[in-house]
C-alpha cells in the first residue's frame, strides 16, 4: 500500500479522505490542517495529525493530496515535488498566471508527477462523450455547447476571495473545452453581468456569463455560466459534428418517471456538486493510485496553466468588451 498524506481537512478534503480509505492500494497516514478538523478527520480514518514539514520528511509517505485553500496549492505542490512525493492537487494550481507558469517550469525541471484534479474529466458520462467524439462517432467536431449552472449562488464572502467566476467556476469548463476540442484555443470573447445577487457585484465579481472560444481551425465552443439555475445543478454538454450531434445530459435524483393525462414528469436534478461528481472524485483517487504504481498523470500542471490562461483572457474580454487573441 502507498502511504498518503492529506493536506486540508475541509469539505473536499473529507471527500478525498473517504475515497483514499476505500481504495485498497492506498493508506491514509497523515492529515495536515491548522484547525481542529485535522484531529477529527484523522481519528475517523486511523491516521495521524501531522505538519507539512513532517510529511515531506517521511519516507513512508509516497503521495500528497493537496486539498487546502487555493492560496497554498502552488507552494505545497512545489514543496512536495521537491521532496520526491507524487502530487494530487485540487484546481487551480494558483490564481496568478505568471506564478503558475513559473511553477510549471520548476515542476518540469524536477520531473515531478503532478495530477491537477479537474474532476469533470473523470465523470463517466463526460468521459464517454469525449471518447465518442475522439472516435469520430459524429464526424469532425464543429461546435460545442457547455452549460454549467449552479443551483444557488455562494455567499459574497466566498466570492470576494474566489478569484472571480472565470477562475473559480468556469475554469472547469475551460478545461473541459480544451479536452473536447483537442486543439488550442486562439480567440476568447466573454460578456458578463450581475443578474442574480447584487452582493456578488459589490464583492467585485459577476454571477452570469457567456463565453465563446474559437480554435485555429474555426471550431467554436459556447460556455453558459450562471451562479443560480433555480432548478438544480445543471451540467450538460452538446457536441455537434459533420455527421450529427452527441450530448451528455444531467444526472437525476432517480430514474423514476410519472406518466399521466397531464404528461410525464421526472425526478429533480442532483442539487450539489459533491453528489453530481461523487463517482468522479472516487475515480480521481483511483487514478492517483495508478500514478503511484507508475502511470503518468492524465491531467498535469500544463493543463492547469492552459485553463488559467483562458480564464484570464475571459476576464479581460468581459471587462473590456474585446476579443482576446491568444
Amino acid at each position: 500500500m502507498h502511504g498518503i498524506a492529506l493536506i486540508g481537512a475541509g469539505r473536499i478534503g473529507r471527500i478525498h479522505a473517504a475515497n483514499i480509505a476505500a481504495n485498497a492500494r492506498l493508506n491514509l497516514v497523515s492529515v495536515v490542517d491548522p484547525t481542529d478538523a485535522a484531529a477529527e478527520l484523522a481519528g475517523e480514518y486511523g491516521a495521524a495529525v501531522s505538519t507539512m514539514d513532517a510529511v515531506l520528511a517521511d519516507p513512508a509517505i509516497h503521495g500528497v493530496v493537496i486539498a487546502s485553500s487555493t492560496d497554498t496549492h502552488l507552494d505545497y505542490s512545489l514543496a512536495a515535488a521537491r521532496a520526491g512525493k507524487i502530487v494530487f492537487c485540487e484546481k487551480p494550481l494558483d490564481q496568478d498566471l505568471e506564478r503558475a507558469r513559473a511553477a510549471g517550469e520548476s515542476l518540469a525541471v524536477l520531473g515531478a508527477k503532478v495530477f491537477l484534479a479537474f474532476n469533470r474529466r473523470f465523470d463517466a458520462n463526460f468521459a464517454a462523450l469525449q471518447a465518442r467524439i475522439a472516435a469520430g462517432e459524429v464526424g469532425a467536431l464543429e461546435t460545442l455547447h457547455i452549460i454549467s449552472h449552479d443551483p444557488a449562488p455562494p455567499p459574497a464572502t466566498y466570492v470576494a476571495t474566489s478569484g472571480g467566476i472565470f477562475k473559480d467556476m468556469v475554469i472547469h469548463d475551460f478545461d473541459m473545452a480544451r479536452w473536447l476540442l483537442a486543439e488550442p484555443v486562439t480567440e476568447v470573447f466573454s460578456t458578463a453581468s450581475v443578474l442574480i445577487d447584487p452582493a456578488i457585484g459589490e464583492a467585485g465579481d459577476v454571477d452570469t456569463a457567456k463565453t465563446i472560444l474559437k480554435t485555429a481551425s474555426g471550431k467554436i465552443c459556447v460556455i453558459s455560466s450562471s451562479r443560480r439555475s433555480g432548478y438544480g445543478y445543471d451540467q450538460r454538454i452538446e457536441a455537434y459534428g459533420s455527421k450529427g450531434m452527441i450530448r451528455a445530459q444531467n444526472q437525476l435524483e432517480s430514474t423514476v418517471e410519472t406518466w399521466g393525462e397531464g404528461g410525464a414528469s421526472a425526478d429533480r436534478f442532483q442539487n450539489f456538486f459533491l453528489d453530481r461528481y461523487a463517482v468522479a472524485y472516487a475515480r480521481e483517487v483511483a487514478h492517483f493510485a495508478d500514478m503511484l504504481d507508475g502511470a503518468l498523470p492524465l491531467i498535469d500542471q500544463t493543463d492547469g496553466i492552459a485553463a488559467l490562461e483562458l480564464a484570464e483572457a475571459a476576464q479581460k474580454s468581459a471587462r473590456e468588451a474585446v476579443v482576446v487573441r491568444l
Side-chain angles (χ1 to χ4, degrees), residues 12 137 150 235:
I12 195 63
E137 191 166 307
D150 283 354
Q235 299 282 286

Side-chain angles (χ1 to χ4, degrees), residues 1-293:
M1 294 175 73
H2 300 287
I4 303 297
L6 173 64
I7 316 301
R11 181 170 63 183
I12 195 63
R14 295 192 67 84
I15 296 297
H16 292 322
N19 287 323
I20 292 166
N23 192 298
R25 292 180 287 167
L26 305 178
N27 177 33
L28 183 59
V29 174
S30 299
V31 177
V32 177
D33 193 291
T35 71
D36 294 339
E40 179 185 349
L41 189 59
E44 188 174 345
Y45 294 105
V49 176
S50 189
T51 65
M52 190 66 182
D53 287 343
V55 163
L56 298 179
D58 189 345
I61 293 175
H62 308 140
V64 175
V65 176
I66 299 169
S68 47
S69 60
T70 296
D71 60 351
T72 65
H73 288 182
L74 185 147
D75 290 338
Y76 284 167
S77 293
L78 283 171
R82 287 172 180 141
K85 313 298 186 184
I86 295 176
V87 179
F88 174 137
C89 182
E90 277 297 320
K91 70 84 194 168
L93 185 61
D94 198 69
Q95 289 184 353
D96 183 272
L97 181 56
E98 293 311 312
R99 271 175 50 85
R101 285 172 172 161
E105 292 174 3
S106 297
L107 291 168
V109 169
L110 289 167
K113 288 176 71 173
V114 177
F115 168 42
L116 197 63
F118 281 104
N119 62 296
R120 294 182 190 179
R121 292 205 202 185
F122 290 84
D123 175 79
N125 296 308
F126 292 159
L129 179 83
Q130 188 274 339
R132 292 186 182 193
I133 292 171
E137 191 166 307
V138 291
L141 181 65
E142 295 169 350
T143 63
L144 284 174
H145 189 195
I146 299 175
I147 298 169
S148 182
H149 296 179
D150 283 354
T157 51
Y158 170 84
V159 169
T161 59
S162 69
I165 193 171
F166 294 108
K167 290 184 179 180
D168 172 57
M169 178 182 172
V170 192
I171 196 165
H172 281 288
D173 305 301
F174 292 140
D175 178 71
M176 185 63 61
R178 292 184 62 252
W179 188 42
L180 297 176
L181 290 167
E183 64 179 73
V185 172
T186 57
E187 294 182 14
V188 180
F189 177 75
S190 293
T191 186
S193 298
V194 179
L195 299 175
I196 297 166
D197 185 355
I200 290 177
E202 292 165 7
D205 198 13
V206 295
D207 54 34
T208 308
K210 302 288 184 182
T211 304
I212 299 175
L213 309 177
K214 190 174 183 180
T215 70
S217 70
K219 295 177 185 176
I220 296 171
C221 174
V222 178
I223 300 173
S224 179
S225 313
S226 174
R227 289 289 194 182
R228 181 219 59 213
S229 69
Y231 51 83
Y233 194 36
D234 192 356
Q235 299 282 286
R236 290 173 284 149
I237 299 178
E238 296 176 342
Y240 296 85
S242 58
K243 295 181 180 178
M245 184 269 281
I246 184 170
R247 65 184 178 185
Q249 296 281 57
N250 281 301
Q251 294 282 97
L252 304 181
E253 292 286 354
S254 76
T255 60
V256 176
E257 295 181 342
T258 302
W259 292 39
E261 289 184 0
S265 64
D267 210 339
R268 296 173 298 178
F269 296 162
Q270 290 181 327
N271 201 52
F272 195 47
F273 74 93
L274 293 180
D275 300 323
R276 172 65 178 80
Y277 291 113
V279 174
Y281 286 123
R283 291 178 66 177
E284 282 184 328
V285 168
H287 175 56
F288 190 50
D290 291 340
M291 287 174 57
L292 288 156
D293 286 338

